[in-house]
Every structure is written in C-alpha cells, then in structure tokens.
Amino acid sequence: MATERKDIVAFEDTLGRLDIRLGRIVEAVLEPSAPRPAYRLTIDFGKFGRKVSVGRFTQHASDDLVGRQVVGVLNFEPRQIGAVMSEVLILGVQFPGAASGEATVLVPAHEAKIGGKVF
C-alpha cells in the first residue's frame, strides 16, 4: 500500500535530536511476558553500556541475531513491554511476507565501531 510522503522537517528538529548508535546483540531470548511474540535483546553499545530492548524480530532464529551489529535509538524514553523495561529502540523494517509489526533489523554494510554515532 502506497502512502503519501510526509512534510519536510529540519534536521535540528528531528535526526539532530536523536542519539542513534551502533551496537552488537549479545543475547536474544524469547520474552514470554510480551503481548506479541518478541525477543528480549541485550545489546552492547561499547562505552554507552549494555541496553535491553524488546522487539518483534522473531522471524529470525535467536542464534542468527546474536553477534549482529544493529542500529538503536538510545535517547527515547524507556518503554514497558510486558514485564521488561525496553531501554532502547532497535531499528528495523517489515520482514517480507510476515505479519504486520514483524521486523528484520537494520544492519551496516560493513562492520563498524560499536557505539559509533549514526549520521
């Protein structure tokens, strides 16, 4: 389904306010308390520490996620998902052919420095 493009916005009012960094998934386990099937991910952001995220990346086997570099927004307010406080939003896109909300992670084309800022 095609959607209309959104209005143009200033960098300083949008992307310039977000702290988007590269991390590496060190653990991915199913989170039984989530309202829909989801993984509880532990992501290493280097000098920014390890953060927990709950995300609907279950079209991937957990073993396929561990070790992957991912892109996350570090400065969104934490969000309660089931019994877990999700501290960071891992960016993704719709998984092909999967139900709405099922995602695949955004990854860099090459290995890069953990904790590196996305720009």
Side-chain angles (χ1 to χ4, degrees):
M1 171 193 311
T3 59
E4 296 296 318
R5 289 188 54 176
K6 296 186 178 186
D7 293 335
I8 293 175
V9 296
F11 175 85
E12 297 79 16
D13 295 333
T14 56
L15 194 59
R17 296 182 65 189
L18 297 177
D19 190 9
I20 305 173
R21 299 202 175 261
L22 189 67
R24 185 178 308 281
I25 298 174
V26 296
E27 182 180 48
V29 295
L30 285 174
E31 178 48 55
S33 69
R36 294 189 182 118
Y39 284 122
R40 182 181 67 237
L41 306 172
T42 303
I43 304 105
D44 180 7
F45 286 98
K47 69 180 182 179
F48 301 97
R50 287 187 173 197
K51 308 280 183 194
V52 171
S53 181
V54 176
R56 295 188 57 206
F57 301 108
T58 55
Q59 295 296 313
H60 296 282
S62 62
D63 289 347
D64 291 338
L65 291 171
V66 173
R68 280 193 191 221
Q69 289 191 321
V70 292
V71 177
V73 180
L74 274 59
N75 65 331
F76 278 155
E77 202 168 297
R79 184 173 170 202
Q80 189 78 40
I81 300 178
V84 178
M85 186 63 72
S86 189
E87 304 171 289
V88 61
L89 174 69
I90 300 304
L91 299 180
V93 295
Q94 180 73 32
F95 194 96
S100 178
E102 285 289 333
T104 185
V105 293
L106 293 181
V107 298
H110 296 279
E111 287 280 314
K113 182 179 179 185
I114 296 300
K117 186 163 179 57
V118 174
F119 57 91

